[in-house]
Amino acid sequence: MNKKFYINNRKALGKMMKDNSIAIIHSGILFASSADENYDFEVNRNFLYLTGINQEDVILMLVKGNNNVLEYLFLDENDEVYVKWNGAKLYPEEASKIGGFNEDDIYFTEEFKQLLHFILNPSRKNFNEIDTLYLDLERRTDLEYRNWVFQFKDRFLKDYPEIKIDNIYSKIVSLRQTKTSDEVEEIKKSVKTTKVGLEKVMENIKPGIYEYQAETYFDSYIKWDGNKPHSFKTICASGVNATILHYRDNNSLIKDGDLVLFDLGCHTNCYISDITRVYPANGKFNARQREVYNEVLNCNKKCIEFLKPGVTWKEYNDFANSLLIASMKKLGLIKKDKDFRKYYWHSIGHSIGLDTHDPSIYNRKFEEGMLTSVEPGIYIEEEGIGVRIEDDVLITKDGCINLSKDIIKEVDEIEAYMKENNIYLKK
Ligand code: GLY
Ligand code: MN
Ligand code: MN
């Protein structure tokens, strides 16, 4: 992403801040997994959105007074020994280039407390008196025990009880909800890699291998194609396993006659794809599988036609429900509408962006630049059939574009692709 993107994001957030306020946003910390190993670092996406910096323990501070916003960034200083063991962290000039910061506004982390004290100390008149501190407190209370910001908040409350603390999370989220064309381009790259990864799956899957083996055809491709991380843990669910929404075990043997559901994606600079496709392990859908599949596909396609600016998330969800209810009746699964939750219990979609389930203000209507997944499903445990078909859709000025339209999903297309390209069917 161009540094102008991050400059603009900070400007937009600055406009939303009250005068005489300060915002402190932390990139996140490294968590120990065991002994001296750490989990892979996951940057706070709100921080990334404002800075472009994907590194632990970096702090962004915005100070607003007289309707002017000052920016400060705090980085760990590189330590000679650390660099020898682990390589260097970002140097100020690098951070400045990535996020469009003025180099004079970049400090080392150890100076953070002192500068904060200087800004908040009312006896100094270099700054207006601050009455509000914004922190990114997110919405997940279960993060509290491990999050830098909650510890900071507790300390701060003791030191400055007169300053009001406000959660800036929903302000950043509302900015993130509509995407720029550059952000959409990143998502398109992820979708493209996912498309080829799914083709590798169709080319190599067969009955008699384990789900975790089938999964590797996707995993190795996203690694190959730019070392793209997963959007989330790949779901490879055969037969009845596909009726578990977030199946994660991926350890069953794929049987002849099984449908196999792949719900997966990768990210490009943290912009994700989230796609679900269902393939017959032996290359052919049986009659019942085809029937169920086509009902879900019908809902998927009609929902994509339905999406445009002005539609509410509730209307979108209700529309999908009504189609799936009609399908379930047709398939002989239910008689009464209210019973449809037995075979479908999630919602039709969610925002996507820097997160798979991108935080969003869901009472906002669809607007140009928003992205949603479209993911209807029908899960029939007693028949061992689970079908979900998921695409990633961009809302445009007067409708929408399906960014994953090139990932084949018609029964005939899938069967033809497998017949022609699957290494076992070709023999
Ligand atoms: N894989 C999670 C989702 O589709 O929402
Ligand atoms: Mn998904
Ligand atoms: Mn999804």
Side-chain angles (χ1 to χ4, degrees), residues 35-83:
D36 58 355
E37 281 294 314
N38 292 319
Y39 290 109
D40 285 347
F41 175 63
E42 281 297 340
V43 67
N44 169 2
R45 301 301 199 257
N46 285 345
F47 176 88
L48 181 70
Y49 181 80
L50 296 167
T51 64
I53 291 169
N54 189 343
Q55 180 175 288
E56 69 277 13
D57 289 319
V58 186
I59 304 168
L60 170 70
M61 186 156 91
L62 303 175
V63 183
K64 184 164 179 178
N66 301 330
N67 280 313
N68 183 38
V69 179
L70 303 173
E71 302 181 344
Y72 302 94
L73 190 75
F74 299 88
L75 295 174
D76 278 344
E77 187 168 12
N78 274 309
D79 164 285
E80 232 178 83
V81 178
Y82 180 94
V83 172

Short mmCIF file of all heavy atoms in Angstrom, two decimals, residues 35-83:
data_model
loop_
_atom_site.label_atom_id
_atom_site.label_comp_id
_atom_site.label_asym_id
_atom_site.label_seq_id
_atom_site.Cartn_x
_atom_site.Cartn_y
_atom_site.Cartn_z
N ALA A 35 8.28 -22.45 26.48
CA ALA A 35 9.72 -22.23 26.68
C ALA A 35 10.11 -20.88 26.09
O ALA A 35 9.54 -19.86 26.45
CB ALA A 35 10.52 -23.37 26.08
N ASP A 36 11.04 -20.87 25.14
CA ASP A 36 11.44 -19.56 24.61
C ASP A 36 10.88 -19.34 23.20
O ASP A 36 11.41 -18.56 22.42
CB ASP A 36 12.96 -19.40 24.63
CG ASP A 36 13.67 -20.49 23.84
OD1 ASP A 36 12.98 -21.41 23.36
OD2 ASP A 36 14.90 -20.41 23.71
N GLU A 37 9.81 -20.06 22.88
CA GLU A 37 9.17 -19.87 21.57
C GLU A 37 7.98 -18.91 21.70
O GLU A 37 7.33 -18.86 22.74
CB GLU A 37 8.64 -21.20 21.03
CG GLU A 37 9.70 -22.10 20.42
CD GLU A 37 10.31 -21.52 19.16
OE1 GLU A 37 9.55 -21.03 18.30
OE2 GLU A 37 11.55 -21.53 19.05
N ASN A 38 7.72 -18.17 20.63
CA ASN A 38 6.54 -17.30 20.61
C ASN A 38 5.57 -17.73 19.52
O ASN A 38 5.97 -18.36 18.55
CB ASN A 38 6.97 -15.86 20.29
CG ASN A 38 7.79 -15.25 21.40
OD1 ASN A 38 7.48 -15.44 22.57
ND2 ASN A 38 8.85 -14.55 21.04
N TYR A 39 4.31 -17.37 19.70
CA TYR A 39 3.35 -17.51 18.61
C TYR A 39 3.74 -16.52 17.52
O TYR A 39 4.38 -15.50 17.79
CB TYR A 39 1.93 -17.17 19.09
CG TYR A 39 1.33 -18.18 20.03
CD1 TYR A 39 1.16 -17.89 21.38
CD2 TYR A 39 0.93 -19.42 19.57
CE1 TYR A 39 0.60 -18.82 22.24
CE2 TYR A 39 0.37 -20.36 20.42
CZ TYR A 39 0.21 -20.05 21.76
OH TYR A 39 -0.33 -20.97 22.60
N ASP A 40 3.31 -16.81 16.31
CA ASP A 40 3.53 -15.82 15.24
C ASP A 40 2.84 -14.52 15.66
O ASP A 40 1.75 -14.55 16.23
CB ASP A 40 2.90 -16.31 13.92
CG ASP A 40 3.74 -17.41 13.29
OD1 ASP A 40 4.89 -17.60 13.72
OD2 ASP A 40 3.23 -18.08 12.38
N PHE A 41 3.47 -13.43 15.33
CA PHE A 41 2.89 -12.14 15.71
C PHE A 41 1.68 -11.81 14.83
O PHE A 41 1.72 -11.98 13.62
CB PHE A 41 3.95 -11.04 15.55
CG PHE A 41 3.42 -9.67 15.80
CD1 PHE A 41 2.91 -9.32 17.05
CD2 PHE A 41 3.38 -8.72 14.79
CE1 PHE A 41 2.39 -8.06 17.30
CE2 PHE A 41 2.86 -7.45 15.02
CZ PHE A 41 2.37 -7.12 16.28
N GLU A 42 0.61 -11.37 15.45
CA GLU A 42 -0.56 -10.88 14.72
C GLU A 42 -0.74 -9.41 15.08
O GLU A 42 -1.06 -9.08 16.22
CB GLU A 42 -1.83 -11.65 15.11
CG GLU A 42 -1.96 -13.01 14.45
CD GLU A 42 -2.09 -12.95 12.92
OE1 GLU A 42 -2.46 -11.89 12.37
OE2 GLU A 42 -1.82 -13.98 12.28
N VAL A 43 -0.54 -8.56 14.11
CA VAL A 43 -0.62 -7.13 14.39
C VAL A 43 -2.09 -6.71 14.64
O VAL A 43 -3.00 -7.28 14.03
CB VAL A 43 0.00 -6.32 13.22
CG1 VAL A 43 -0.82 -6.43 11.94
CG2 VAL A 43 0.20 -4.86 13.60
N ASN A 44 -2.28 -5.77 15.52
CA ASN A 44 -3.59 -5.15 15.69
C ASN A 44 -3.96 -4.48 14.36
O ASN A 44 -3.28 -3.56 13.91
CB ASN A 44 -3.51 -4.12 16.83
CG ASN A 44 -4.74 -3.24 16.93
OD1 ASN A 44 -5.70 -3.39 16.18
ND2 ASN A 44 -4.69 -2.30 17.86
N ARG A 45 -5.01 -4.99 13.72
CA ARG A 45 -5.35 -4.51 12.37
C ARG A 45 -5.72 -3.02 12.36
O ARG A 45 -5.53 -2.34 11.35
CB ARG A 45 -6.47 -5.34 11.75
CG ARG A 45 -6.17 -6.82 11.63
CD ARG A 45 -4.93 -7.07 10.79
NE ARG A 45 -4.85 -8.43 10.29
CZ ARG A 45 -4.07 -9.40 10.76
NH1 ARG A 45 -3.29 -9.18 11.81
NH2 ARG A 45 -4.04 -10.60 10.21
N ASN A 46 -6.25 -2.52 13.45
CA ASN A 46 -6.55 -1.08 13.50
C ASN A 46 -5.26 -0.27 13.46
O ASN A 46 -5.18 0.77 12.80
CB ASN A 46 -7.32 -0.73 14.78
CG ASN A 46 -8.77 -1.17 14.71
OD1 ASN A 46 -9.27 -1.48 13.63
ND2 ASN A 46 -9.45 -1.19 15.84
N PHE A 47 -4.26 -0.77 14.14
CA PHE A 47 -2.94 -0.11 14.13
C PHE A 47 -2.35 -0.18 12.72
O PHE A 47 -1.84 0.82 12.19
CB PHE A 47 -2.02 -0.79 15.15
CG PHE A 47 -0.62 -0.25 15.14
CD1 PHE A 47 -0.28 0.84 15.93
CD2 PHE A 47 0.35 -0.82 14.34
CE1 PHE A 47 1.01 1.37 15.90
CE2 PHE A 47 1.64 -0.31 14.30
CZ PHE A 47 1.97 0.79 15.08
N LEU A 48 -2.43 -1.35 12.11
CA LEU A 48 -1.89 -1.53 10.76
C LEU A 48 -2.57 -0.57 9.78
O LEU A 48 -1.91 0.04 8.92
CB LEU A 48 -2.11 -2.98 10.30
CG LEU A 48 -1.59 -3.34 8.92
CD1 LEU A 48 -0.06 -3.37 8.92
CD2 LEU A 48 -2.11 -4.71 8.48
N TYR A 49 -3.86 -0.43 9.92
CA TYR A 49 -4.65 0.45 9.04
C TYR A 49 -4.19 1.90 9.13
O TYR A 49 -4.26 2.65 8.17
CB TYR A 49 -6.12 0.32 9.44
CG TYR A 49 -7.08 1.15 8.63
CD1 TYR A 49 -7.50 0.71 7.38
CD2 TYR A 49 -7.59 2.35 9.12
CE1 TYR A 49 -8.40 1.46 6.63
CE2 TYR A 49 -8.48 3.10 8.38
CZ TYR A 49 -8.89 2.65 7.13
OH TYR A 49 -9.77 3.39 6.39
N LEU A 50 -3.69 2.28 10.29
CA LEU A 50 -3.29 3.68 10.50
C LEU A 50 -1.81 3.93 10.21
O LEU A 50 -1.41 5.09 10.05
CB LEU A 50 -3.59 4.10 11.95
CG LEU A 50 -5.07 4.10 12.32
CD1 LEU A 50 -5.24 4.21 13.83
CD2 LEU A 50 -5.81 5.24 11.62
N THR A 51 -1.01 2.85 10.17
CA THR A 51 0.44 3.05 10.08
C THR A 51 1.14 2.26 8.98
O THR A 51 2.24 2.63 8.58
CB THR A 51 1.11 2.62 11.41
OG1 THR A 51 0.88 1.21 11.56
CG2 THR A 51 0.57 3.37 12.61
N GLY A 52 0.55 1.15 8.56
CA GLY A 52 1.22 0.26 7.60
C GLY A 52 2.30 -0.58 8.26
O GLY A 52 2.99 -1.34 7.58
N ILE A 53 2.48 -0.43 9.56
CA ILE A 53 3.59 -1.12 10.25
C ILE A 53 3.11 -2.42 10.89
O ILE A 53 2.15 -2.42 11.66
CB ILE A 53 4.23 -0.17 11.28
CG1 ILE A 53 4.95 0.94 10.51
CG2 ILE A 53 5.19 -0.92 12.19
CD1 ILE A 53 5.39 2.08 11.34
N ASN A 54 3.80 -3.49 10.53
CA ASN A 54 3.43 -4.82 11.02
C ASN A 54 4.58 -5.33 11.90
O ASN A 54 5.40 -6.12 11.48
CB ASN A 54 3.20 -5.75 9.82
CG ASN A 54 2.61 -7.08 10.23
OD1 ASN A 54 2.66 -7.45 11.40
ND2 ASN A 54 2.07 -7.80 9.27
N GLN A 55 4.65 -4.80 13.10
CA GLN A 55 5.72 -5.16 14.04
C GLN A 55 5.20 -4.99 15.47
O GLN A 55 4.42 -4.07 15.74
CB GLN A 55 6.93 -4.24 13.81
CG GLN A 55 8.11 -4.50 14.72
CD GLN A 55 9.31 -3.64 14.35
OE1 GLN A 55 9.96 -3.86 13.33
NE2 GLN A 55 9.60 -2.65 15.17
N GLU A 56 5.67 -5.87 16.35
CA GLU A 56 5.19 -5.82 17.74
C GLU A 56 5.72 -4.59 18.48
O GLU A 56 6.78 -4.05 18.13
CB GLU A 56 5.58 -7.11 18.50
CG GLU A 56 7.06 -7.29 18.79
CD GLU A 56 7.86 -7.87 17.64
OE1 GLU A 56 7.34 -7.92 16.50
OE2 GLU A 56 9.03 -8.24 17.87
N ASP A 57 4.97 -4.20 19.51
CA ASP A 57 5.41 -3.15 20.44
C ASP A 57 5.72 -1.80 19.80
O ASP A 57 6.72 -1.16 20.15
CB ASP A 57 6.63 -3.63 21.25
CG ASP A 57 6.22 -4.69 22.25
OD1 ASP A 57 5.16 -4.53 22.87
OD2 ASP A 57 6.95 -5.69 22.38
N VAL A 58 4.93 -1.40 18.88
CA VAL A 58 5.05 -0.06 18.29
C VAL A 58 3.82 0.74 18.75
O VAL A 58 2.72 0.19 18.83
CB VAL A 58 5.12 -0.11 16.74
CG1 VAL A 58 5.41 1.28 16.18
CG2 VAL A 58 6.19 -1.10 16.29
N ILE A 59 4.02 2.00 19.05
CA ILE A 59 2.92 2.81 19.56
C ILE A 59 2.69 4.01 18.65
O ILE A 59 3.65 4.70 18.27
CB ILE A 59 3.22 3.32 21.00
CG1 ILE A 59 3.54 2.15 21.94
CG2 ILE A 59 2.03 4.13 21.56
CD1 ILE A 59 4.13 2.59 23.28
N LEU A 60 1.44 4.22 18.33
CA LEU A 60 1.05 5.44 17.59
C LEU A 60 0.33 6.36 18.57
O LEU A 60 -0.54 5.93 19.33
CB LEU A 60 0.09 5.08 16.45
CG LEU A 60 -0.56 6.27 15.74
CD1 LEU A 60 0.46 7.06 14.92
CD2 LEU A 60 -1.70 5.81 14.83
N MET A 61 0.73 7.64 18.55
CA MET A 61 0.05 8.61 19.41
C MET A 61 -0.37 9.80 18.55
O MET A 61 0.44 10.32 17.77
CB MET A 61 1.03 9.06 20.50
CG MET A 61 0.42 9.96 21.54
SD MET A 61 1.39 9.82 23.07
CE MET A 61 2.56 11.11 22.81
N LEU A 62 -1.64 10.16 18.64
CA LEU A 62 -2.15 11.34 17.94
C LEU A 62 -2.60 12.33 19.00
O LEU A 62 -3.31 11.95 19.94
CB LEU A 62 -3.34 10.97 17.04
CG LEU A 62 -3.10 9.89 15.97
CD1 LEU A 62 -4.41 9.56 15.25
CD2 LEU A 62 -2.05 10.34 14.96
N VAL A 63 -2.18 13.56 18.85
CA VAL A 63 -2.55 14.57 19.85
C VAL A 63 -3.28 15.69 19.13
O VAL A 63 -2.75 16.28 18.18
CB VAL A 63 -1.29 15.14 20.55
CG1 VAL A 63 -1.70 16.13 21.64
CG2 VAL A 63 -0.45 14.01 21.14
N LYS A 64 -4.52 15.96 19.57
CA LYS A 64 -5.31 16.97 18.88
C LYS A 64 -5.55 18.17 19.80
O LYS A 64 -6.04 18.04 20.92
CB LYS A 64 -6.66 16.38 18.45
CG LYS A 64 -7.51 17.35 17.64
CD LYS A 64 -8.63 16.62 16.92
CE LYS A 64 -9.51 17.56 16.13
NZ LYS A 64 -10.56 16.86 15.39
N GLY A 65 -5.15 19.34 19.31
CA GLY A 65 -5.38 20.60 20.04
C GLY A 65 -5.54 21.71 19.03
O GLY A 65 -4.88 21.69 17.97
N ASN A 66 -6.39 22.67 19.31
CA ASN A 66 -6.67 23.76 18.36
C ASN A 66 -6.97 23.23 16.97
O ASN A 66 -6.53 23.76 15.96
CB ASN A 66 -5.50 24.74 18.27
CG ASN A 66 -5.18 25.35 19.62
OD1 ASN A 66 -6.08 25.50 20.46
ND2 ASN A 66 -3.91 25.67 19.85
N ASN A 67 -7.68 22.09 16.94
CA ASN A 67 -8.07 21.43 15.69
C ASN A 67 -6.90 21.04 14.81
O ASN A 67 -7.05 20.90 13.60
CB ASN A 67 -9.07 22.29 14.91
CG ASN A 67 -10.45 22.10 15.50
OD1 ASN A 67 -10.86 20.96 15.73
ND2 ASN A 67 -11.13 23.20 15.79
N ASN A 68 -5.76 20.88 15.43
CA ASN A 68 -4.57 20.44 14.70
C ASN A 68 -4.14 19.10 15.30
O ASN A 68 -4.21 18.92 16.51
CB ASN A 68 -3.48 21.51 14.87
CG ASN A 68 -2.26 21.17 14.07
OD1 ASN A 68 -2.36 20.67 12.96
ND2 ASN A 68 -1.09 21.42 14.65
N VAL A 69 -3.73 18.17 14.45
CA VAL A 69 -3.34 16.85 14.97
C VAL A 69 -1.84 16.62 14.80
O VAL A 69 -1.32 16.75 13.69
CB VAL A 69 -4.13 15.72 14.25
CG1 VAL A 69 -3.71 14.35 14.79
CG2 VAL A 69 -5.63 15.91 14.44
N LEU A 70 -1.17 16.33 15.91
CA LEU A 70 0.26 15.98 15.86
C LEU A 70 0.38 14.46 15.94
O LEU A 70 -0.40 13.80 16.63
CB LEU A 70 1.00 16.62 17.04
CG LEU A 70 0.90 18.14 17.16
CD1 LEU A 70 1.54 18.60 18.48
CD2 LEU A 70 1.58 18.82 15.97
N GLU A 71 1.38 13.93 15.23
CA GLU A 71 1.56 12.47 15.20
C GLU A 71 2.89 12.10 15.83
O GLU A 71 3.90 12.77 15.57
CB GLU A 71 1.60 11.98 13.75
CG GLU A 71 0.39 12.32 12.93
CD GLU A 71 0.50 11.78 11.50
OE1 GLU A 71 1.62 11.42 11.05
OE2 GLU A 71 -0.55 11.73 10.86
N TYR A 72 2.90 11.02 16.58
CA TYR A 72 4.15 10.49 17.14
C TYR A 72 4.13 8.99 16.98
O TYR A 72 3.10 8.34 17.18
CB TYR A 72 4.27 10.81 18.63
CG TYR A 72 4.21 12.28 18.94
CD1 TYR A 72 3.00 12.88 19.28
CD2 TYR A 72 5.37 13.06 18.88
CE1 TYR A 72 2.94 14.24 19.54
CE2 TYR A 72 5.31 14.42 19.15
CZ TYR A 72 4.09 15.00 19.48
OH TYR A 72 4.02 16.34 19.74
N LEU A 73 5.27 8.45 16.63
CA LEU A 73 5.39 6.99 16.53
C LEU A 73 6.56 6.57 17.42
O LEU A 73 7.62 7.22 17.42
CB LEU A 73 5.67 6.59 15.08
CG LEU A 73 5.58 5.10 14.79
CD1 LEU A 73 4.10 4.66 14.74
CD2 LEU A 73 6.25 4.74 13.47
N PHE A 74 6.37 5.49 18.18
CA PHE A 74 7.41 5.00 19.08
C PHE A 74 7.81 3.59 18.68
O PHE A 74 6.97 2.69 18.63
CB PHE A 74 6.89 5.00 20.53
CG PHE A 74 6.51 6.37 21.00
CD1 PHE A 74 5.22 6.86 20.78
CD2 PHE A 74 7.43 7.18 21.64
CE1 PHE A 74 4.87 8.13 21.19
CE2 PHE A 74 7.09 8.45 22.07
CZ PHE A 74 5.80 8.94 21.84
N LEU A 75 9.10 3.43 18.39
CA LEU A 75 9.64 2.14 17.94
C LEU A 75 10.67 1.64 18.94
O LEU A 75 11.38 2.44 19.55
CB LEU A 75 10.42 2.32 16.63
CG LEU A 75 9.73 2.75 15.36
CD1 LEU A 75 10.79 2.99 14.29
CD2 LEU A 75 8.76 1.67 14.90
N ASP A 76 10.79 0.31 19.03
CA ASP A 76 11.90 -0.24 19.83
C ASP A 76 13.22 0.12 19.14
O ASP A 76 13.32 0.03 17.92
CB ASP A 76 11.79 -1.76 19.90
CG ASP A 76 10.81 -2.21 20.96
OD1 ASP A 76 10.45 -1.38 21.83
OD2 ASP A 76 10.39 -3.37 20.91
N GLU A 77 14.20 0.49 19.98
CA GLU A 77 15.51 0.78 19.41
C GLU A 77 16.24 -0.54 19.17
O GLU A 77 16.15 -1.46 19.98
CB GLU A 77 16.31 1.65 20.40
CG GLU A 77 17.60 2.14 19.81
CD GLU A 77 18.26 3.23 20.67
OE1 GLU A 77 17.84 3.43 21.82
OE2 GLU A 77 19.20 3.86 20.16
N ASN A 78 16.91 -0.65 18.04
CA ASN A 78 17.61 -1.90 17.75
C ASN A 78 18.79 -2.09 18.69
O ASN A 78 19.61 -1.20 18.87
CB ASN A 78 18.07 -1.94 16.30
CG ASN A 78 16.97 -2.47 15.41
OD1 ASN A 78 16.40 -3.53 15.67
ND2 ASN A 78 16.64 -1.72 14.36
N ASP A 79 18.84 -3.28 19.26
CA ASP A 79 19.89 -3.62 20.20
C ASP A 79 20.84 -4.56 19.46
O ASP A 79 20.41 -5.48 18.77
CB ASP A 79 19.17 -4.31 21.37
CG ASP A 79 20.07 -5.07 22.28
OD1 ASP A 79 20.51 -6.15 21.89
OD2 ASP A 79 20.31 -4.56 23.38
N GLU A 80 22.12 -4.30 19.61
CA GLU A 80 23.14 -5.03 18.83
C GLU A 80 23.03 -6.55 18.97
O GLU A 80 23.08 -7.29 17.99
CB GLU A 80 24.52 -4.61 19.34
CG GLU A 80 25.46 -4.14 18.26
CD GLU A 80 26.77 -3.72 18.88
OE1 GLU A 80 27.60 -4.60 19.13
OE2 GLU A 80 26.92 -2.50 19.15
N VAL A 81 22.82 -6.99 20.20
CA VAL A 81 22.76 -8.43 20.44
C VAL A 81 21.47 -9.01 19.84
O VAL A 81 21.48 -10.03 19.15
CB VAL A 81 22.82 -8.74 21.97
CG1 VAL A 81 22.72 -10.24 22.21
CG2 VAL A 81 24.10 -8.17 22.55
N TYR A 82 20.36 -8.30 20.05
CA TYR A 82 19.08 -8.76 19.49
C TYR A 82 19.19 -8.90 17.97
O TYR A 82 18.74 -9.89 17.38
CB TYR A 82 17.96 -7.75 19.86
CG TYR A 82 16.61 -8.15 19.31
CD1 TYR A 82 15.72 -8.89 20.09
CD2 TYR A 82 16.23 -7.82 18.01
CE1 TYR A 82 14.49 -9.30 19.60
CE2 TYR A 82 15.00 -8.23 17.50
CZ TYR A 82 14.14 -8.96 18.30
OH TYR A 82 12.93 -9.36 17.79
N VAL A 83 19.82 -7.91 17.36
CA VAL A 83 19.94 -7.93 15.90
C VAL A 83 20.74 -9.15 15.45
O VAL A 83 20.38 -9.81 14.47
CB VAL A 83 20.58 -6.62 15.38
CG1 VAL A 83 20.89 -6.70 13.90
CG2 VAL A 83 19.66 -5.43 15.66
#
